[in-house]
């Protein structure tokens, strides 16, 4: 599946979670899925718990996060003396 097709699985709508990016048709935010993955949950366990999403939805969350990070400039914080 191409990147743009995957990214269509993510939507922002001010009426859903105050506009946070979510998996289309759900109230599962990209941030929530990334948090689960970051805390060691496997894709398989997420798919079992939330059986209304699929592997491509999780892949879309990862791609979305990559795009957001890629589009930002990060400046190192100055070290305090």
């Amino acid at each position: 599946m191409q990147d743009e097709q995957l990214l269509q699985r993510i939507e922002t709508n001010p009426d859903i979670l105050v506009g946070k990016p979510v998996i289309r048709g759900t109230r599962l935010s990209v941030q929530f899925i990334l948090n689960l993955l970051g805390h060691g949950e496997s894709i398989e366990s997420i798919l079992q718990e939330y059986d209304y999403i699929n592997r491509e939805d999780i892949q879309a969350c990862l791609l979305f996060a990559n795009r957001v990070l890629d589009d930002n400039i990060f400046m190192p914080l100055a070290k305090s003396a």
Side-chain angles (χ1 to χ4, degrees):
M1 185 172 284
Q2 293 187 0
D3 288 0
E4 295 310 314
Q5 289 174 305
L6 282 172
L7 291 174
Q8 288 177 7
R9 294 173 170 272
I10 306 299
E11 70 174 328
T12 56
N13 179 333
D15 294 329
I16 301 171
L17 293 181
V18 195
K20 280 189 171 189
V22 297
I23 297 171
R24 185 173 299 282
T26 75
R27 298 182 67 81
L28 292 176
S29 70
V30 170
Q31 180 183 7
F32 178 74
I33 297 296
L34 294 175
N35 186 54
L36 290 175
L37 292 168
H39 282 92
E41 288 294 327
S42 69
I43 291 173
E44 290 75 23
S45 68
I46 295 170
L47 293 175
Q48 282 181 339
E49 183 70 25
Y50 304 98
D51 60 357
Y52 49 92
I53 65 170
N54 60 43
R55 187 170 296 277
E56 288 81 12
D57 293 323
I58 294 175
Q59 188 178 355
C61 290
L62 293 167
L63 181 60
F64 181 87
N66 180 67
R67 289 279 176 97
V68 168
L69 289 170
D70 197 38
D71 289 344
N72 285 292
I73 297 173
F74 294 94
M75 303 294 276
L77 297 175
K79 290 184 179 180
S80 58

